[in-house]
Amino acid sequence: MAGVKSISVVSTTFGTGVADNIPVAFTSNLSFPCFAGRGGVKYAAAAWSKSRVIWSRTIKVRAAAATQDDSPSSSTQLVEVPRKAADIALEFYELVNQRDYLKVSDLFAENCVYEDFTFPEPVKGRKEIVKFFEKVMTSMGPELKFVIDDITRDDPNAAGVIWHLEWRGKTFPYSRGCSFYRCEVNNGRRQIKFARDIVEPAAKPGDVAMVAIKLVTGLFERFPNLIDRI
């Protein structure tokens, strides 16, 4: 790979694996400046630690080698890109839609905390989260599916998702929601450390909610110690 001038993506495939200290980084661009060095091609924008990294995709790239007259010749190699929080979140919804709660386990850190505001208490720990989603998947039946409306991708360790549910392609009532996922790398694997779901309420009080907030805040202003008793 000596003399490599640039890298261009020619195709992508899904896959998994672990690689040691491969200094590779991609953005949404399809061509990347780089320079050759020990351990493979290094990209100018790469900023990696020497820790093991879990990968989610294999990207087939074409390396253009610079010659003395600056005329590139081409060769092809495989370069792998690390999983991001967005990739993990999308896989999570795919597994839920497949009702595969056992594989969901691999996506969560051992000490993960999962908050669903439909329930009074958060679910703590991977084992309890798996039990929780086994119940969720059973209650959803075979036809109810998550559909992703939007997802953030800029932060490799965090993702926000806007979603809704559909039953046989039709929007399920009161099923719009948004979720947040915070990830961390454990033993070379990026996993979900914290998650929060907020689901559309069936009851929509509208202006009544504003009146209630005004009454409660007014009560706290008169009796500030009340906040400590809640």
Side-chain angles (χ1 to χ4, degrees):
M1 297 298 295
V4 170
K5 182 181 179 182
S6 65
I7 294 293
S8 298
V9 175
V10 294
S11 66
T12 63
T13 57
F14 289 95
T16 57
V18 177
D20 288 314
N21 191 27
I22 298 181
V24 178
F26 282 99
T27 65
S28 58
N29 299 322
L30 293 179
S31 184
F32 313 91
C34 59
F35 61 92
R38 291 185 179 181
V41 176
K42 297 183 178 180
Y43 295 89
W48 288 97
S49 66
K50 294 184 178 181
S51 60
R52 288 162 63 83
V53 179
I54 188 75
W55 308 91
S56 64
R57 289 169 195 246
T58 299
I59 287 190
K60 193 174 184 181
V61 300
R62 179 171 291 116
T67 61
Q68 288 183 349
D69 60 358
D70 207 31
S71 299
S73 61
S74 294
S75 62
T76 300
Q77 72 174 48
L78 294 180
V79 177
E80 292 176 302
V81 178
R83 289 166 64 90
K84 290 186 177 182
D87 298 318
I88 296 171
L90 290 174
E91 183 180 357
F92 166 71
Y93 289 107
E94 181 180 355
L95 292 174
V96 172
N97 285 343
Q98 295 172 0
R99 306 300 188 260
D100 195 339
Y101 66 89
L102 293 178
K103 287 186 179 180
V104 164
S105 173
D106 295 334
L107 303 181
F108 291 94
E110 184 68 34
N111 61 344
C112 180
V113 175
Y114 198 103
E115 294 181 348
D116 186 328
F117 283 177
T118 307
F119 298 86
E121 299 292 335
V123 185
K124 298 180 179 180
R126 180 191 297 153
K127 291 183 180 180
E128 293 302 316
I129 291 172
V130 172
K131 291 179 183 178
F132 172 75
F133 277 104
E134 183 180 5
K135 294 178 182 178
V136 169
M137 294 177 195
T138 300
S139 68
M140 290 175 67
E143 302 287 351
L144 197 60
K145 307 290 185 182
F146 278 95
V147 177
I148 307 303
D149 299 313
D150 202 357
I151 186 169
T152 62
R153 296 179 177 274
D154 292 338
D155 190 335
N157 286 313
V161 187
I162 299 175
W163 48 264
H164 70 276
L165 292 171
E166 291 185 359
W167 189 84
R168 294 186 178 180
K170 303 293 184 180
T171 300
F172 197 74
Y174 307 114
S175 70
R176 294 177 298 179
C178 58
S179 301
F180 173 79
Y181 298 92
R182 170 69 64 187
C183 297
E184 66 179 7
V185 177
N186 296 308
N187 297 320
R189 303 181 64 185
R190 183 170 277 120
Q191 297 174 306
I192 300 170
K193 178 183 180 181
F194 172 80
R196 174 177 291 174
D197 289 340
I198 301 176
V199 185
E200 177 184 12
K204 301 179 186 293
D207 290 340
V208 175
M210 303 299 175
V211 175
I213 292 172
K214 184 176 181 179
L215 290 174
V216 173
T217 54
L219 188 63
F220 286 158
E221 288 171 1
R222 292 183 60 188
F223 308 100
N225 292 335
L226 284 178
I227 193 70
D228 298 324
R229 300 181 182 181
I230 298 177

